[in-house]
Amino acid sequence: MRVNLSLNQIVQELGGTVSGEGELEIYKVGSLALAQQGAIGFFNNTKYTAQLNNTHVSAVIIKPEHKELTSLPKIITDNPYAYFAKASQLFNPILETASGIHVSAVVDPDATVPNSCSIAANAVVGASAVLGERVVIGVGSVIERDCTIGENTMLEANVTIKHGSRIGVHCHLFSGSVIGNDGFGYAEEGGDENAKHWVKIPQVGNVVIGDHVDVGANTTIDRGTIDDTVVEDGVKLDNLIQIAHNCRIGAHTVIAGCVGVAGSAIIGKHCKIGGAAMILGHLNIADDVTISPGTMIMRSIQKSGTYTALMPLQEHSAWLKTAVNIRQLSQLTERIKALETAAADAKNINKI
Amino acid sequence: MRVNLSLNQIVQELGGTVSGEGELEIYKVGSLALAQQGAIGFFNNTKYTAQLNNTHVSAVIIKPEHKELTSLPKIITDNPYAYFAKASQLFNPILETASGIHVSAVVDPDATVPNSCSIAANAVVGASAVLGERVVIGVGSVIERDCTIGENTMLEANVTIKHGSRIGVHCHLFSGSVIGNDGFGYAEEGGDENAKHWVKIPQVGNVVIGDHVDVGANTTIDRGTIDDTVVEDGVKLDNLIQIAHNCRIGAHTVIAGCVGVAGSAIIGKHCKIGGAAMILGHLNIADDVTISPGTMIMRSIQKSGTYTALMPLQEHSAWLKTAVNIRQLSQLTERIKALETAAADAKNINKI
Amino acid sequence: MRVNLSLNQIVQELGGTVSGEGELEIYKVGSLALAQQGAIGFFNNTKYTAQLNNTHVSAVIIKPEHKELTSLPKIITDNPYAYFAKASQLFNPILETASGIHVSAVVDPDATVPNSCSIAANAVVGASAVLGERVVIGVGSVIERDCTIGENTMLEANVTIKHGSRIGVHCHLFSGSVIGNDGFGYAEEGGDENAKHWVKIPQVGNVVIGDHVDVGANTTIDRGTIDDTVVEDGVKLDNLIQIAHNCRIGAHTVIAGCVGVAGSAIIGKHCKIGGAAMILGHLNIADDVTISPGTMIMRSIQKSGTYTALMPLQEHSAWLKTAVNIRQLSQLTERIKALETAAADAKNINKI
């Protein structure tokens, strides 16, 4: 299903200006380094000028200030990378899913499912669930009772949405994700060692997800204890992320894979959280904060900026020494203090 | 489905003493800070006295020693947080699931499924599986052959229990959890670079889970290599946890999200393991150990206490310097030693 | 289903030499420390000589250079651990799954499914999917359109394979794993704070998995952005691993649980990556690299060896001081420099 578009046709759809042969036909996007004839690439950064000079692509998406760097046919725009994303969407239209309910799907008679929806094999839609127009429910996915799913939202195969979850429009939930699972809340009871045990705190809040939110494969978002867990508009979550109960993730924040966000953390808008980072509970993270991958956030962050907590990488033999040194840092500090005192004493003695 | 209970009715169910208007009706639990009239909150710690003074809740669960701190109607008990958990259970009873086997479920004729069980749509129960009374199997969940599931245990949607697993009574397994998966065991074979490859070691032990155990969404517990992987009574596991083969998790231990426990680790009773912590294989952790979030445990821990291994958080520019300094810690130590030697020499020279 | 084999029968199947009573019957494998009569154990390392002396097993797999260390009947071979793995396979044959398509499975008429395949209850096989001989598809697993699954490959229950994935022969995919999920790729657009949002970059590459690859429970492997994500022959992946788009994992590399590999990382052959390690995007890792558990890899590694980045474990009170000291490392370094300058000055003054 190859889509051919001339540069003129692309700018007609997406804006920007053509420079060079506007009737040149393109049929795919690709990187300057790897793609071949027929592809359009993008150039964003003079660091990659060598790639631009040696590329085999047929045309380039480029900023106004870089347009003289290549004689290739080009589309000039302020944000070549976003333009590239949209061009790729043109060349790779989402396959339309036929509407209708598969014979093996189980849809509760009390659920609202417009005719434009697509409910795949073995999917289950519970009582009083309300689906918007053109919602797609993948194979084996489960929508429990009292859920709301907005228009054009798509669930891939084997997604689980627990009762009462509310999901906005144009969301995309990937396989194995679990929305609205019970939060992890227990109170310890019983004083002595043999009687101590945990009493479950019912989790009666819901999960509320805004519009244009993506939730990666096997990512989990827990329901609130009393109030709701909230994921605002435009948030993008990668795979294997845990969002605990009562969290709020601010609009357009992106979180990379394997991140954990503990209970009641409030994350600002437009944050960028690196893979395998961890945010402790009951913290506030300001808007526009970048957290480096693998970084544990142990306190609230009031100020936009980039934050990091990482051990530097070493060969194992060097690290073994470092580990000993780190354990002895307090003594090391004491020894420096002693040297300083001795030096000050010596100076005074010399003065006398 | 609102439940109204007077303070007197609550203490009749849960114990404790009413002080103030015992006929006051409550219909939900809530936090002192956020909840409104009709709710009951709890007060545990004088750190929150301001919240107690400004709360809009109608009644408070409080310790005997704090009862003078508020004039609100109250229930007096030694453990307000556990009492709050139980009160919430009263106001939020678990919806009863209708018993019976959904027409789309596939139950092997050799499986034992009492009439009081509920087997949801598309669930599959394998040969010789034995379910106790009132077991609930969620939509799309799979119980393979030769499993035992104790009374009142509940599996949410899309849970997978592999063959031969034994699960106690009153357990709660959440969506996407996988119990009894093959452990990760391989032996390397073939000396030279081109022939080297891994030979699988069959994993023929089982998983044995005690009573009152909760297993979070997308959490995995692997079967033992030869003997069983064991999770003792009252253990609570959050989401996205990996418990590897041959582990034993002691009774009433709680493990927060994203934790990994490597093979053959033995964890004591009543431990508290923070989110994204990691415990290496073949270690022993004593009873009542607390492990801080994000902490890698590299050696056995013989003594109860709190253990931590975390890089402190810094702005990225400050961290860049720290990383360099950490790499140079050995040289730094050498320089201090040289200064100490020089100072000692100087002292001796001066003495002469 | 007990399998009895004499030592002679075992060496007939697996090679090696019997020393002692060749007609001795064995029915299982076990560890020297725990196993009982009727079991065969292995001995690899003189560190465990005490275990060998006190063992209750009936026979031992042992290296030629250790054969004098025990008078037990033995099988002599160069690699006792790999031999043990294969012996265990003999005593624990994989249960054959009856071929055929369960009545509740949904197989597209355009899919290719040989008669020797086994398609379990509620499994779904999409259009133009091509399965090899003896492929086993577990309960509730989903193979989307245009996938290829090689001979003898086995999918456990609730596996999801997205469209266009190609999987080799003799692979084993465990429950909850998701292959071919969209990679995490977005371009930011909209200059000012209120308009900024993310534009999705279509992920049109596939996932290509070689032969003899194992993929653990709830592990995710994302499809490439333009080209494919590749997992080469013999790779073994544990549970809850994230392999991002465009990665290449070299042949016979093993990755333990909870690891994240970010986008476009290229990992060499025969690497060993410890649990909860994290590899940043666009890095190259050489062949035969070992990465310690919990280690964040922030730069490419050109040389085989073992690499580590870990904070040492401390009691929490000691760690609190360490954390302060680490934050002050730059000042500490300055203070040492000042002492060195002062010492040099003092020396010069003394010289005068």
Side-chain angles (χ1 to χ4, degrees), chain B residues 19-292:
Chain B
S19 165
E21 191 193 339
E23 290 311 311
L24 179 75
E25 285 220 333
I26 298 296
Y27 73 96
K28 63 174 178 181
V29 300
S31 69
L32 295 183
L34 297 173
Q36 300 298 320
Q37 227 182 332
I40 189 165
F42 75 97
F43 180 82
N44 222 358
N45 192 320
T46 50
K47 205 165 70 176
Y48 300 109
T49 304
Q51 281 184 12
L52 182 64
N53 292 335
N54 297 312
T55 189
H56 295 101
V57 299
S58 298
V60 180
I61 304 163
I62 201 162
K63 291 183 191 178
E65 61 262 43
H66 294 148
K67 71 177 176 188
E68 306 300 340
L69 294 178
T70 179
S71 59
L72 283 172
K74 67 202 83 161
I75 292 173
I76 301 164
T77 180
D78 287 335
N79 187 341
Y81 191 42
Y83 198 102
F84 175 85
K86 290 176 175 177
S88 180
Q89 290 177 4
L90 288 183
F91 291 112
N92 301 288
I94 294 167
L95 282 189
E96 210 148 300
T97 317
S99 61
I101 298 176
H102 192 274
V103 62
S104 66
V106 178
V107 177
D108 191 279
D110 279 353
T112 303
V113 179
N115 288 333
S116 60
C117 290
S118 168
I119 313 292
N122 296 332
V124 175
V125 180
S128 306
V130 177
L131 275 52
E133 295 289 339
R134 292 168 303 283
V135 162
V136 175
I137 307 294
V139 171
S141 281
V142 181
I143 318 291
E144 291 191 352
R145 62 183 164 83
D146 300 315
C147 288
T148 310
I149 316 274
E151 287 178 17
N152 297 299
T153 281
M154 182 173 185
L155 277 65
E156 300 282 344
N158 287 329
V159 170
T160 305
I161 314 283
K162 308 298 297 178
H163 61 93
S165 300
R166 299 195 294 281
I167 298 176
V169 306
H170 287 284
C171 293
H172 199 166
L173 286 84
F174 291 96
S175 297
S177 56
V178 179
I179 310 300
N181 195 57
D182 274 11
F184 195 64
Y186 302 90
E188 202 166 22
E189 187 186 47
D192 77 283
E193 196 60 23
N194 292 317
K196 267 198 303 185
H197 65 279
W198 298 94
V199 181
K200 175 161 177 123
I201 299 166
Q203 305 290 307
V204 300
N206 289 312
V207 171
V208 177
I209 292 179
D211 299 335
H212 297 280
V213 171
D214 288 1
V215 178
N218 288 343
T219 281
T220 57
I221 304 177
D222 284 354
R223 64 193 315 115
T225 308
I226 290 168
D227 299 307
D228 297 333
T229 302
V230 178
V231 177
E232 297 182 356
D233 292 349
V235 167
K236 310 295 181 186
L237 304 177
D238 197 356
N239 298 349
L240 289 166
I241 291 169
Q242 152 74 346
I243 307 290
H245 54 182
N246 313 318
C247 285
R248 174 177 285 266
I249 313 294
H252 307 293
T253 281
V254 288
I255 305 185
C258 307
V259 164
V261 183
S264 304
I266 308 295
I267 298 180
K269 298 182 199 303
H270 301 292
C271 291
K272 294 169 185 169
I273 301 180
M278 175 82 198
I279 296 173
L280 291 195
H282 298 274
L283 301 184
N284 276 271
I285 310 293
D287 294 348
D288 287 299
V289 165
T290 297
I291 294 171
S292 297

Side-chain angles (χ1 to χ4, degrees), chain A residues 59-133:
Chain A
V60 180
I61 305 164
I62 201 162
K63 291 183 190 178
E65 61 262 41
H66 295 147
K67 71 177 177 190
E68 306 301 340
L69 294 179
T70 180
S71 57
L72 283 172
K74 68 202 84 165
I75 293 174
I76 299 163
T77 178
D78 286 336
N79 187 341
Y81 191 42
Y83 198 100
F84 175 83
K86 290 177 176 176
S88 180
Q89 291 177 1
L90 287 184
F91 290 112
N92 301 290
I94 293 167
L95 282 189
E96 211 148 299
T97 317
S99 61
I101 299 175
H102 191 275
V103 63
S104 66
V106 178
V107 177
D108 191 279
D110 279 355
T112 303
V113 179
N115 289 333
S116 59
C117 289
S118 167
I119 314 293
N122 295 333
V124 175
V125 180
S128 305
V130 177
L131 274 53
E133 296 287 340

Side-chain angles (χ1 to χ4, degrees), chain A residues 122 145 160 162 176 181 186 188-189 193 196 198 200-202 218 222 242 306 308 310 325 335, chain B residues 79 81 86 88-89 95 122 156 158 174 214 218 239 252 270 272 288 311 314 316 319 330 340:
Chain A
N122 295 333
R145 63 183 165 82
T160 306
K162 308 298 298 178
N181 195 58
Y186 302 89
E188 202 166 24
E189 188 186 44
E193 196 61 22
K196 269 198 304 185
W198 297 94
K200 174 161 178 124
I201 300 166
N218 287 343
D222 283 355
Q242 151 74 346
T306 299
T308 308
L310 279 176
N325 287 323
R335 286 163 67 186
Chain B
N79 187 341
Y81 191 42
K86 290 176 175 177
S88 180
Q89 290 177 4
L95 282 189
N122 296 332
E156 300 282 344
N158 287 329
F174 291 96
D214 288 1
N218 288 343
N239 298 349
H252 307 293
H270 301 292
K272 294 169 185 169
D288 287 299
M311 273 289 282
Q314 298 182 286
H316 190 71
W319 173 79
S330 292
E340 287 169 337

Side-chain angles (χ1 to χ4, degrees), chain C residues 187-271:
Chain C
E188 202 166 23
E189 186 187 46
D192 77 283
E193 197 61 20
N194 293 317
K196 267 197 306 187
H197 64 278
W198 297 94
V199 181
K200 175 162 178 123
I201 300 166
Q203 306 290 306
V204 299
N206 289 313
V207 170
V208 178
I209 291 179
D211 300 335
H212 296 280
V213 170
D214 288 1
V215 178
N218 287 343
T219 281
T220 57
I221 305 176
D222 283 355
R223 63 193 316 116
T225 308
I226 291 167
D227 300 306
D228 297 333
T229 303
V230 178
V231 177
E232 297 181 356
D233 292 348
V235 166
K236 309 294 180 188
L237 304 176
D238 198 357
N239 297 350
L240 290 165
I241 291 170
Q242 151 73 349
I243 307 289
H245 54 181
N246 314 318
C247 285
R248 174 178 283 267
I249 313 294
H252 306 291
T253 280
V254 287
I255 305 185
C258 307
V259 164
V261 183
S264 305
I266 308 295
I267 298 180
K269 298 182 199 305
H270 300 292
C271 291

Side-chain angles (χ1 to χ4, degrees), chain A residues 209-231:
Chain A
I209 292 179
D211 300 333
H212 297 280
V213 171
D214 289 1
V215 178
N218 287 343
T219 281
T220 58
I221 305 176
D222 283 355
R223 64 193 317 115
T225 308
I226 291 166
D227 301 307
D228 298 332
T229 303
V230 178
V231 177

